[in-house]
Amino acid sequence: MGGRYSFFIGINQNIIEIPVNPQEYTISYPTENKIYNILSIGDVVLPELPSLMEVAWDSYFPGNSQDGMLMGHTWKQPERYIKIIREAMEKKYVVDLVISRYEADGNKMFDTNVSMIIQNFEITEKGGEIGDIYYKISMKEYREFAPKIIQIGKGDNQTIIQEEKQRKTELVVCVGAKVIANGKYWYSSYGDKPYGIANNKQTTIQRILSDPSREYPILIGQLGWVKEEQLQVIA
């Protein structure tokens, strides 16, 4: 038994590793199923698509030199972490959250890798623990979306509605497409570590970035970021 996990947050090209792992963390997969009351039957439930994933945890940023060497690292001062997180909230950044899990022998198990918005961030200082900053943080999954474009036709009074859809056309690399991935997948779209290796891994495209500066612009499942040539679209 045993093992460990690590938290990484990518914020506007800054990558921070959480210095002190929380004792526990919560990943929620809520749904918004509808309940209706039908005469002669009673309540029935209508299943809906899953709602946005939510992640939350409590921990602290160490402020003294002893804790500053936790796990063999020299960590940033607490105010640096707080500044980066607050800036992400104020500037409405989409952040990349990665939770990496390892077995006791060091073998990697699997990652949670998802784009999030920081929903809430609270800090607390305690008497007798000067320098340490305790905090609570919660995040909600970010999904890209596109607006509807409505054009009103002239003369015949016809309305033409064009929706910019997430293309799910068969054998096209697009958000929602099922793919087989091979090669390294990375923590961020810039190719930052940590990374994993996919070997004929069947998954789904979650996000595609159009920014040419991103070397690995495609997010697959909850694994990580890859190049298009690493993917084979399947029906």
Side-chain angles (χ1 to χ4, degrees):
M1 300 298 289
R4 64 180 180 87
Y5 54 88
S6 299
F7 284 70
F8 299 87
I9 305 177
I11 305 176
N12 192 33
Q13 301 188 39
N14 288 307
I15 299 175
I16 61 174
E17 181 178 359
I18 298 302
V20 180
N21 286 337
Q23 292 186 357
E24 64 179 20
Y25 61 94
T26 302
I27 299 179
S28 302
Y29 301 91
T31 59
E32 296 181 355
N33 298 328
K34 301 292 191 301
I35 297 178
Y36 299 93
N37 186 274
I38 299 178
L39 294 176
S40 77
I41 297 179
D43 288 344
V44 297
V45 61
L46 180 65
E48 298 286 343
L49 291 174
S51 187
L52 300 172
M53 179 194 301
E54 300 173 0
V55 182
W57 72 86
D58 303 354
S59 188
Y60 74 98
F61 298 125
N64 61 60
S65 58
Q66 181 177 357
D67 283 351
M69 290 300 294
L70 286 169
M71 296 175 59
H73 293 279
T74 300
W75 302 102
K76 299 178 177 65
Q77 288 299 308
E79 56 266 26
R80 178 59 178 162
Y81 295 105
I82 294 170
K83 180 179 179 181
I84 291 173
I85 292 172
R86 289 192 60 190
E87 180 178 309
M89 299 177 72
E90 291 167 0
K91 295 187 176 180
K92 303 178 182 179
Y93 288 144
V94 177
V95 308
D96 297 314
L97 173 66
V98 177
I99 305 174
S100 297
R101 302 164 183 83
Y102 300 86
E103 296 177 341
D105 58 7
N107 289 328
K108 193 169 188 177
M109 298 172 63
F110 67 98
D111 291 337
T112 296
N113 187 333
V114 63
S115 296
M116 312 283 291
I117 296 292
I118 299 174
Q119 288 282 99
N120 188 56
F121 180 59
E122 301 177 23
I123 60 174
T124 303
E125 295 186 71
K126 299 182 180 182
E129 300 182 43
I130 302 301
D132 293 344
I133 304 293
Y134 288 80
Y135 70 92
K136 298 179 181 180
I137 191 168
S138 61
M139 303 183 184
K140 188 179 287 281
E141 180 183 2
Y142 174 79
R143 291 179 186 167
E144 289 190 335
F145 63 94
K148 292 181 179 180
I149 302 174
I150 301 179
Q151 298 178 341
I152 306 300
K154 297 180 179 180
D156 56 7
N157 293 322
Q158 292 182 346
T159 301
I160 303 172
I161 300 178
Q162 297 177 335
E163 295 188 22
E164 198 173 312
K165 300 177 179 178
Q166 292 181 332
R167 295 171 299 155
K168 295 185 178 179
T169 307
E170 187 176 354
L171 303 182
V172 173
V173 174
C174 60
V175 173
K178 294 181 179 180
V179 294
I180 293 176
N182 283 283
K184 289 183 178 179
Y185 54 85
W186 299 87
Y187 161 74
S188 80
S189 56
Y190 293 99
D192 298 302
K193 294 181 179 178
Y195 67 83
I197 298 178
N199 184 15
N200 291 324
K201 175 68 175 180
Q202 184 170 330
T203 183
T204 303
I205 295 177
Q206 300 293 333
R207 191 177 175 195
I208 300 177
L209 302 178
S210 57
D211 185 347
S213 68
R214 308 296 183 102
E215 187 175 0
Y216 300 88
I218 301 176
L219 176 64
I220 54 172
Q222 295 183 13
L223 296 177
W225 297 84
V226 298
K227 295 180 178 180
E228 182 176 346
E229 53 262 36
Q230 294 178 244
L231 304 177
Q232 175 188 349
V233 183
I234 57 178

